[in-house]
Amino acid sequence: MNFPVVAPSILASDFSNLQKEITMINESEADWVHIDVMDGVFVPNISFGVPVIQSVKKHARKPLDVHLMIVQPERYLKTFRDAGADVISIHVEASTHLHRSIDEIHSLGAKAGVAINPHTPVSALHDVIQYIDVVCVMSVNPGFGGQKFIEHTYEKIRELRSLIQRRNGTALIEIDGGVNEKNAHALIDAGAHILVAGNFVFSSADPKGTISNLKKAGQSQA
Ligand code: DX5
Ligand code: ZN
């Protein structure tokens, strides 16, 4: 894998031109497509669901990184896998039987991610870290794009890196929320592998160039 993995979040894209947005991602240096599913219960916002992911899958030439911000995510793992998810991330705060859900994601043939909210300590992952492929560290409170990056995230990344080493894990660290060209550098330096970016990419005049710059900003410190 060519680090950092850059994953534009289509939450910030123009839904009336979704095919055009996916084509832009296909033609860019982006590695994954980040897809935020929100249920209005786990987070105070509703985004989109399965039919949209099926449509994206028809056009995307890159893996779909599906971030489930929903309660009882175990009820929908197969549905999202069937819709085209390559990585499925579920929240530790929403999962009563996290270990079982991780197993199920793997048995469906997808990569398993676990997301943690800003208030959730890294120690919550102590007993699952060795089984997961991705840790999605929320660097904003989930629910909305375009929020301010929480600076405490750097400390969490360093803690996580040390936990992964101690447990001989291979999980990649993904940062989600408020990522831009200014903090990309420091995030990768702290130990992040995957940068999710919504507004920073889609609000820019040149999204492809912005993706390329994010990739470079990370590489120069990797
Ligand atoms: C927030 C979502 C993020 C969001 C990131 O709940 O999980 O993936 O789309 O958007 P920006 O990069 O605009 O903060
Ligand atoms: Zn997300």
Side-chain angles (χ1 to χ4, degrees):
M1 218 177 284
N2 178 13
F3 294 114
V5 167
V6 173
S9 168
I10 60 164
L11 184 67
S13 72
D14 177 359
F15 295 155
S16 63
N17 271 309
L18 204 43
Q19 186 174 350
K20 190 181 120 245
E21 303 283 48
I22 299 300
T23 302
M24 181 283 289
I25 293 174
N26 286 341
E27 291 170 354
S28 77
E29 288 177 49
D31 302 277
W32 293 357
V33 184
H34 187 82
I35 301 187
D36 289 311
V37 177
M38 303 179 182
D39 66 355
V41 180
F42 181 68
V43 287
N45 193 12
I46 299 175
S47 56
F48 47 72
V50 175
V52 171
I53 296 178
Q54 287 167 333
S55 301
V56 168
K57 189 68 179 178
K58 280 191 208 147
H59 302 287
R61 300 280 165 268
K62 312 208 168 170
L64 302 191
D65 175 32
V66 175
H67 176 195
L68 297 180
M69 283 161 276
I70 64 174
V71 296
Q72 298 183 306
E74 62 279 0
R75 295 169 65 206
Y76 293 100
L77 300 176
K78 186 172 183 325
T79 308
F80 283 105
R81 175 62 177 154
D82 290 346
D86 297 284
V87 182
I88 301 178
S89 290
I90 57 178
H91 270 262
V92 66
E93 304 85 3
S95 307
T96 311
H97 297 285
L98 184 59
H99 184 279
R100 176 184 288 153
S101 297
I102 292 165
D103 272 355
E104 189 183 338
I105 295 171
H106 282 148
S107 71
L108 293 166
K111 288 197 187 306
V114 174
I116 53 172
N117 279 339
H119 76 276
T120 301
V122 163
S123 60
L125 297 171
H126 188 274
D127 292 322
V128 292
I129 194 74
Q130 65 271 45
Y131 306 118
I132 63 186
D133 304 294
V134 174
V135 178
C136 178
V137 179
M138 292 309 305
S139 40
V140 297
N141 284 292
F144 304 94
Q147 302 181 82
K148 193 172 173 294
F149 178 83
I150 297 171
E151 296 291 324
H152 177 65
T153 306
Y154 294 111
E155 197 178 316
K156 260 177 137 166
I157 298 171
R158 286 190 285 269
E159 263 184 63
L160 201 43
R161 189 168 66 171
S162 125
L163 175 65
I164 293 168
Q165 272 164 7
R166 278 204 314 278
R167 310 282 289 179
N168 285 322
T170 55
L172 299 177
I173 302 174
E174 175 175 59
I175 309 304
D176 189 7
V179 172
N180 56 44
E181 232 172 283
K182 286 195 191 112
N183 55 23
H185 214 77
L187 287 168
I188 299 300
D189 203 30
H193 305 96
I194 306 164
L195 302 176
V196 174
N199 275 265
F200 185 65
V201 166
F202 289 98
S203 308
S204 86
D206 172 19
K208 273 189 229 173
T210 301
I211 290 169
S212 172
N213 290 343
L214 265 182
K215 189 98 190 160
K216 285 196 199 91
Q219 273 165 350
S220 59
Q221 281 290 298

